[in-house]
Amino acid sequence: MFSHNFKRIMPLVLAAGAFAAPPLPTHVPSANAKSAGTAQPNVLSPQLTQTVVAQGSMRLEIPSGITAGVFKYYGYNDDGVNAMVPTASGSRVEFRKTEPDKNVYLTLRKQSGADPAYNYGRHFLFQGHETGVSGYLTRINLDADSTHRVTLMANKDINGAEMPTFDGITWYPFSQQLLLTSEDAVNGGVWQATLDVPSKVKGLSGILGNGGYEGIQADPQGRLYIIEDVGGSKGAVNSHARRPNSFVYRFLPKDPADLTKGGKLQALQVQSLAHAGPIHFNFFASPDAFILSDDVKDLHTYGKTFNTAWVTLHDTDVDGTAPFNANAAAKVKQATPFKRPENGQFRPGSGFTEFIFDETGDTDMLTEAGTTYGGFGGIFRLRLTGDTGKLNLVYNGDAAHSGFDNCAFWDADRIVFGEDAGDTLHSQRNALDSAWLFDLNVSYSSGAQPVRILAQGRDVSATLDSLFAGGGFSGSFFNDGDNEITGWHLSDGDPTVNGLLGAKVPRPLNGQWRLFYTQQHGDNTTYEVLRNDTEEDESE
């Protein structure tokens, strides 16, 4: 007999045939400190462990039909400036790091790659890349050897044009395509990509508009819910706080099997409790007036409930299919802006009537908005009833719990949000990012706090980049510093409509439901999170 401390646990079948639920992750006592020049390990709840599925220095396999150019590595551009890390003394010139972002896990058959004679298996993880020379789409072949581990699926669209860098991704089973988002405020939007290799990638800006889109999810009717991440202008007086400037969108397709046939783009409108009418961008004369408004304060106050509706911004039957600015249209139609709401998911078991989404906030300890006015972000619950709904605050962020970004439900009642607090807030609070487990049945107004299940560390490359970004070295610098948590994704890989996130209650770490995240920046490592089995295997 011997102890298996780090192994993949297959389902434990009980006498009744049910799967044994893993123990809930317990609290990691503290975040990793941000210490100049010091790398830090990731610390997971003791019930969890992790294993690398891909890292930035892995060479991509390049299928026939794709000219690789600078796209030769999973998390780096080979852009000819120097190397993966600076080599000359005193230099900070290095390859651009491309930051693989959100993940989508799918179980598929007969997937091709660069090698027509190779069996790529059935389990795949897809991601777009957030930075670099331009955007590209990769697929991690989870069953493959190192030579075939990561496939470059596309670095150009169907017209041969460079793609934007991508922030969000989801699987859209109705058209059997991946949907990728770009958060560029002017040129961002949604792109669809086929699963064949090379992938055929097409922009949908004439259908869904241009906006700073990031999170994207679908419901069983094929409606899309899109979360925008566009930072607003700072106040003249409140110079460390930003005006709410991002919207929550819904798209109603004419034909979910073919999004190019058009439909209606709508935005969420929240009715004010402080004055007649909706909370909207142009109600306030200046950024300062909005930043410290009663409306923003009310949105970040426990116990308050708001009526909501959807306002139509663009209808292809009426407005045509020329590209349009969704953010500008949302302001004209008096939709309600939030403080960078980056991601959200439907609550499992709610019948797609409960949508949980986050706000990142100002990511600055000096924000004049503070906790009272949402300076540290928050988490919201939107209950949907047809075209109307109710909105309320689930959790109001503070300096220790801020910068909420990626998310995934753990089960029917608990959801994990990872932080992207950024180097500035890391330094101010002397703490790197964490992933937090929230229980939607807990009232956080009483002072209860979420469970930290991951204290993000900082790898050696990110530690160096944090120093380079601080100056004192020669040459330009275009990479980020500290690592962040991205691509937190729990799925059973079901590629049908029944596999939409929110359709089933997750059963994490049981062998079928698999959990992944990417330690973005630095080495750009993508991990699978596993159950940490500390029991002896009596069969050995």
Side-chain angles (χ1 to χ4, degrees), residues 214-265:
E214 184 164 344
I216 182 168
Q217 301 291 330
D219 70 10
Q221 286 72 48
R223 295 174 294 201
L224 290 168
Y225 293 75
I226 304 170
I227 311 298
E228 186 174 45
D229 177 12
V230 178
S233 55
K234 292 183 176 180
V237 176
N238 304 297
S239 59
H240 301 94
R242 294 183 180 274
R243 182 180 195 167
N245 193 45
S246 305
F247 298 89
V248 176
Y249 300 92
R250 181 176 76 167
F251 180 68
L252 311 179
K254 293 178 66 176
D255 180 3
D258 185 358
L259 292 176
T260 65
K261 291 183 179 179
K264 295 180 181 179
L265 182 70

Coordinates of all heavy atoms in Angstrom, one line a residue, residues 214-265:
E214 N -16.7 41.0 -23.1 CA -15.8 40.0 -22.5 C -16.6 38.7 -22.2 O -16.6 37.8 -22.9 CB -15.1 40.6 -21.2 CG -14.2 39.5 -20.6 CD -13.2 40.1 -19.6 OE1 -13.1 41.4 -19.5 OE2 -12.6 39.3 -18.8
G215 N -17.3 38.7 -21.0 CA -18.0 37.5 -20.7 C -19.2 37.2 -21.7 O -19.9 38.2 -22.1
I216 N -19.4 36.0 -22.1 CA -20.5 35.6 -23.0 C -21.0 34.3 -22.6 O -20.3 33.3 -22.5 CB -20.0 35.7 -24.5 CG1 -21.2 35.4 -25.4 CG2 -18.8 34.8 -24.7 CD1 -20.8 35.8 -26.9
Q217 N -22.4 34.2 -22.5 CA -23.0 32.9 -22.2 C -24.3 32.8 -23.0 O -24.9 33.8 -23.4 CB -23.4 32.8 -20.7 CG -22.2 32.9 -19.8 CD -21.3 31.7 -19.8 OE1 -21.7 30.6 -20.1 NE2 -20.0 32.0 -19.5
A218 N -24.8 31.6 -23.2 CA -26.0 31.3 -23.9 C -27.0 30.6 -23.1 O -26.7 29.9 -22.1 CB -25.8 30.5 -25.2
D219 N -28.3 30.8 -23.4 CA -29.4 30.1 -22.7 C -30.0 29.0 -23.7 O -29.6 29.0 -24.9 CB -30.4 31.0 -22.1 CG -31.3 31.7 -23.1 OD1 -31.3 31.3 -24.3 OD2 -32.1 32.6 -22.8
P220 N -30.9 28.2 -23.3 CA -31.4 27.1 -24.1 C -32.2 27.6 -25.4 O -32.4 26.8 -26.3 CB -32.3 26.3 -23.2 CG -31.8 26.5 -21.8 CD -31.4 28.0 -21.9
Q221 N -32.6 28.9 -25.4 CA -33.2 29.4 -26.6 C -32.2 30.0 -27.5 O -32.6 30.6 -28.6 CB -34.2 30.5 -26.2 CG -35.5 30.0 -25.5 CD -35.3 29.4 -24.1 OE1 -34.7 30.1 -23.3 NE2 -35.8 28.2 -23.9
G222 N -31.0 30.0 -27.2 CA -29.9 30.5 -28.1 C -29.7 32.0 -27.8 O -28.9 32.6 -28.6
R223 N -30.3 32.6 -26.8 CA -30.1 34.0 -26.5 C -28.7 34.1 -25.9 O -28.3 33.3 -25.1 CB -31.2 34.5 -25.6 CG -32.6 34.5 -26.2 CD -33.7 34.9 -25.3 NE -33.8 33.9 -24.2 CZ -34.9 33.8 -23.5 NH1 -36.0 34.6 -23.7 NH2 -35.0 32.9 -22.5
L224 N -28.0 35.2 -26.2 CA -26.7 35.4 -25.7 C -26.7 36.6 -24.7 O -27.4 37.6 -24.9 CB -25.7 35.8 -26.9 CG -25.4 34.7 -27.8 CD1 -24.7 35.3 -29.1 CD2 -24.5 33.7 -27.2
Y225 N -26.0 36.4 -23.6 CA -25.8 37.4 -22.6 C -24.4 37.8 -22.6 O -23.5 36.9 -22.4 CB -26.3 36.8 -21.2 CG -27.8 36.6 -21.2 CD1 -28.3 35.5 -21.8 CD2 -28.6 37.5 -20.5 CE1 -29.7 35.3 -21.8 CE2 -30.0 37.3 -20.5 CZ -30.5 36.2 -21.1 OH -31.9 36.0 -21.1
I226 N -24.1 39.0 -22.8 CA -22.7 39.5 -23.0 C -22.4 40.6 -22.0 O -23.2 41.5 -21.7 CB -22.6 40.1 -24.4 CG1 -23.0 39.1 -25.5 CG2 -21.1 40.6 -24.7 CD1 -23.1 39.6 -26.9
I227 N -21.3 40.4 -21.3 CA -20.8 41.4 -20.3 C -19.7 42.3 -20.9 O -18.8 41.8 -21.5 CB -20.3 40.6 -19.1 CG1 -21.3 39.5 -18.6 CG2 -20.0 41.6 -17.9 CD1 -22.6 40.0 -18.2
E228 N -19.8 43.6 -20.7 CA -18.9 44.5 -21.2 C -17.9 45.0 -20.2 O -18.3 45.2 -19.0 CB -19.6 45.7 -21.8 CG -18.7 46.7 -22.6 CD -19.5 47.7 -23.3 OE1 -20.4 48.3 -22.7 OE2 -19.2 48.0 -24.5
D229 N -16.6 45.2 -20.6 CA -15.6 45.7 -19.7 C -14.9 46.9 -20.4 O -14.0 46.8 -21.1 CB -14.5 44.6 -19.5 CG -13.4 45.1 -18.6 OD1 -13.5 46.2 -18.0 OD2 -12.4 44.3 -18.5
V230 N -15.5 48.1 -20.1 CA -14.9 49.3 -20.6 C -14.8 50.3 -19.4 O -15.8 50.7 -18.8 CB -15.8 50.0 -21.7 CG1 -15.2 51.3 -22.2 CG2 -16.0 49.0 -22.9
G231 N -13.6 50.6 -19.1 CA -13.3 51.6 -18.0 C -13.8 53.0 -18.4 O -13.6 53.5 -19.5
G232 N -14.5 53.6 -17.4 CA -15.0 55.0 -17.6 C -13.9 56.0 -17.3 O -12.8 55.7 -16.8
S233 N -14.3 57.3 -17.5 CA -13.3 58.4 -17.3 C -13.3 58.6 -15.8 O -14.2 58.4 -15.0 CB -13.8 59.6 -18.0 OG -15.1 59.9 -17.6
K234 N -12.1 59.1 -15.3 CA -11.9 59.4 -13.9 C -12.5 60.8 -13.6 O -12.7 61.6 -14.5 CB -10.4 59.5 -13.6 CG -9.7 58.1 -13.6 CD -8.3 58.2 -13.2 CE -7.6 56.8 -13.1 NZ -6.2 56.9 -12.7
G235 N -12.8 61.0 -12.4 CA -13.4 62.2 -11.9 C -12.3 63.3 -11.8 O -11.1 63.0 -11.7
A236 N -12.8 64.6 -11.9 CA -11.8 65.7 -11.7 C -11.4 65.8 -10.2 O -10.3 66.0 -9.9 CB -12.4 67.0 -12.2
V237 N -12.4 65.6 -9.4 CA -12.2 65.6 -7.9 C -11.9 64.2 -7.5 O -10.9 64.0 -6.7 CB -13.4 66.1 -7.2 CG1 -13.2 66.1 -5.7 CG2 -13.7 67.6 -7.6
N238 N -12.7 63.2 -7.9 CA -12.5 61.8 -7.5 C -11.5 61.2 -8.5 O -11.9 60.4 -9.3 CB -13.8 61.1 -7.5 CG -14.8 61.8 -6.6 OD1 -14.6 61.8 -5.4 ND2 -15.9 62.3 -7.1
S239 N -10.3 61.5 -8.4 CA -9.3 61.2 -9.5 C -8.8 59.8 -9.4 O -8.0 59.4 -10.3 CB -8.1 62.2 -9.4 OG -7.5 62.1 -8.1
H240 N -9.2 59.0 -8.4 CA -8.8 57.6 -8.4 C -10.0 56.7 -8.6 O -9.9 55.5 -8.4 CB -8.1 57.3 -7.0 CG -6.9 58.1 -6.7 ND1 -7.0 59.3 -6.0 CD2 -5.6 57.9 -7.0 CE1 -5.8 59.8 -5.9 NE2 -4.9 59.0 -6.5
A241 N -11.1 57.3 -9.0 CA -12.3 56.5 -9.2 C -12.8 56.7 -10.7 O -12.5 57.8 -11.2 CB -13.4 56.9 -8.2
R242 N -13.5 55.8 -11.2 CA -14.0 55.9 -12.6 C -15.5 55.8 -12.6 O -16.2 55.2 -11.9 CB -13.4 54.8 -13.4 CG -11.9 54.9 -13.6 CD -11.3 53.8 -14.5 NE -9.9 53.9 -14.7 CZ -9.3 54.7 -15.6 NH1 -10.0 55.4 -16.4 NH2 -8.0 54.7 -15.7
R243 N -16.0 56.6 -13.6 CA -17.4 56.6 -13.9 C -17.9 55.2 -14.4 O -17.2 54.7 -15.3 CB -17.7 57.7 -14.9 CG -19.1 57.9 -15.3 CD -19.1 59.1 -16.4 NE -20.5 59.6 -16.6 CZ -20.7 60.8 -17.2 NH1 -19.7 61.5 -17.7 NH2 -21.9 61.2 -17.4
P244 N -19.0 54.7 -14.0 CA -19.6 53.5 -14.6 C -19.8 53.7 -16.1 O -20.3 54.7 -16.5 CB -20.9 53.3 -13.9 CG -20.7 54.0 -12.6 CD -19.8 55.2 -12.9
N245 N -19.3 52.7 -16.9 CA -19.2 52.9 -18.4 C -19.4 51.6 -19.1 O -19.1 51.6 -20.3 CB -17.9 53.6 -18.7 CG -17.9 54.1 -20.2 OD1 -18.8 54.7 -20.6 ND2 -16.8 53.8 -20.9
S246 N -19.9 50.5 -18.5 CA -20.0 49.2 -19.1 C -21.4 48.7 -19.0 O -22.0 48.9 -17.9 CB -19.0 48.2 -18.5 OG -17.7 48.7 -18.6
F247 N -21.8 47.9 -20.0 CA -23.2 47.5 -20.0 C -23.3 45.9 -20.0 O -22.4 45.2 -20.4 CB -23.9 48.1 -21.2 CG -24.0 49.6 -21.1 CD1 -23.0 50.3 -21.7 CD2 -25.0 50.2 -20.5 CE1 -23.0 51.7 -21.6 CE2 -25.1 51.6 -20.5 CZ -24.1 52.4 -21.0
V248 N -24.5 45.5 -19.6 CA -24.9 44.1 -19.7 C -25.9 43.9 -20.9 O -26.9 44.6 -20.9 CB -25.6 43.6 -18.4 CG1 -26.0 42.1 -18.6 CG2 -24.6 43.7 -17.3
Y249 N -25.5 43.1 -21.9 CA -26.3 43.0 -23.1 C -27.0 41.6 -23.2 O -26.6 40.6 -22.6 CB -25.4 43.1 -24.3 CG -24.6 44.5 -24.4 CD1 -23.4 44.6 -23.8 CD2 -25.2 45.5 -25.1 CE1 -22.7 45.8 -23.9 CE2 -24.5 46.8 -25.1 CZ -23.3 46.9 -24.6 OH -22.6 48.1 -24.7
R250 N -28.1 41.6 -24.0 CA -28.7 40.4 -24.4 C -29.0 40.4 -25.9 O -29.4 41.5 -26.4 CB -30.1 40.2 -23.7 CG -30.8 38.9 -24.0 CD -32.1 38.8 -23.1 NE -33.2 39.6 -23.6 CZ -34.4 39.5 -23.2 NH1 -34.8 38.6 -22.3 NH2 -35.4 40.3 -23.6
F251 N -28.7 39.3 -26.6 CA -28.9 39.2 -28.0 C -30.0 38.2 -28.3 O -29.9 37.0 -27.9 CB -27.7 38.9 -28.8 CG -27.8 38.8 -30.3 CD1 -28.1 40.0 -31.0 CD2 -27.7 37.6 -30.9 CE1 -28.3 39.9 -32.4 CE2 -27.9 37.5 -32.3 CZ -28.2 38.6 -33.0
L252 N -31.0 38.5 -29.1 CA -32.1 37.6 -29.5 C -31.9 37.3 -30.9 O -32.2 38.1 -31.8 CB -33.5 38.3 -29.2 CG -33.7 39.0 -27.9 CD1 -35.1 39.6 -27.8 CD2 -33.5 38.0 -26.8
P253 N -31.4 36.1 -31.3 CA -31.1 35.8 -32.6 C -32.4 35.4 -33.4 O -33.3 34.8 -32.8 CB -30.2 34.6 -32.5 CG -30.5 33.9 -31.2 CD -30.9 35.0 -30.3
K254 N -32.4 35.7 -34.7 CA -33.5 35.3 -35.5 C -33.5 33.7 -35.7 O -34.5 33.1 -35.7 CB -33.5 36.0 -36.9 CG -33.8 37.4 -36.8 CD -33.6 38.1 -38.2 CE -34.7 37.6 -39.1 NZ -34.7 38.3 -40.4
D255 N -32.2 33.2 -35.8 CA -32.0 31.8 -36.1 C -30.8 31.4 -35.3 O -29.7 31.7 -35.8 CB -31.9 31.5 -37.6 CG -31.7 30.0 -37.9 OD1 -31.7 29.2 -36.9 OD2 -31.5 29.7 -39.1
P256 N -30.9 30.7 -34.2 CA -29.7 30.4 -33.4 C -28.7 29.5 -34.2 O -27.5 29.5 -33.9 CB -30.2 29.6 -32.2 CG -31.6 30.1 -32.0 CD -32.1 30.4 -33.4
A257 N -29.2 28.8 -35.2 CA -28.3 27.9 -36.0 C -27.4 28.8 -36.9 O -26.4 28.2 -37.5 CB -29.1 26.9 -36.8
D258 N -27.8 30.0 -37.1 CA -27.0 30.9 -38.0 C -27.1 32.3 -37.5 O -28.0 33.1 -37.9 CB -27.5 30.8 -39.5 CG -26.6 31.6 -40.4 OD1 -25.7 32.2 -40.0 OD2 -26.9 31.5 -41.6
L259 N -26.1 32.8 -36.7 CA -26.2 34.1 -36.2 C -26.0 35.2 -37.2 O -26.4 36.3 -37.0 CB -25.0 34.3 -35.1 CG -25.2 33.4 -33.8 CD1 -24.0 33.6 -32.9 CD2 -26.5 33.8 -33.1
T260 N -25.5 34.9 -38.4 CA -25.4 35.9 -39.4 C -26.7 36.3 -40.0 O -26.8 37.3 -40.7 CB -24.5 35.4 -40.6 OG1 -25.1 34.3 -41.2 CG2 -23.1 34.9 -40.1
K261 N -27.8 35.6 -39.6 CA -29.1 36.1 -40.1 C -29.7 37.2 -39.3 O -30.7 37.8 -39.6 CB -30.1 34.9 -40.0 CG -29.8 33.8 -41.1 CD -30.8 32.7 -41.0 CE -30.5 31.6 -42.1 NZ -31.5 30.5 -42.0
G262 N -29.0 37.6 -38.2 CA -29.3 38.8 -37.5 C -30.2 38.5 -36.3 O -30.4 37.4 -35.8
G263 N -30.7 39.6 -35.7 CA -31.5 39.6 -34.5 C -31.5 40.9 -33.8 O -31.2 42.0 -34.4
K264 N -31.9 40.9 -32.6 CA -32.0 42.2 -31.8 C -30.9 42.2 -30.7 O -30.8 41.2 -29.9 CB -33.4 42.3 -31.1 CG -34.5 42.5 -32.1 CD -35.8 42.6 -31.4 CE -37.0 42.8 -32.3 NZ -38.3 42.9 -31.6
L265 N -30.2 43.3 -30.6 CA -29.3 43.5 -29.4 C -30.0 44.4 -28.4 O -30.5 45.5 -28.8 CB -28.0 44.1 -29.9 CG -26.9 44.3 -28.8 CD1 -26.4 42.9 -28.3 CD2 -25.8 45.2 -29.2

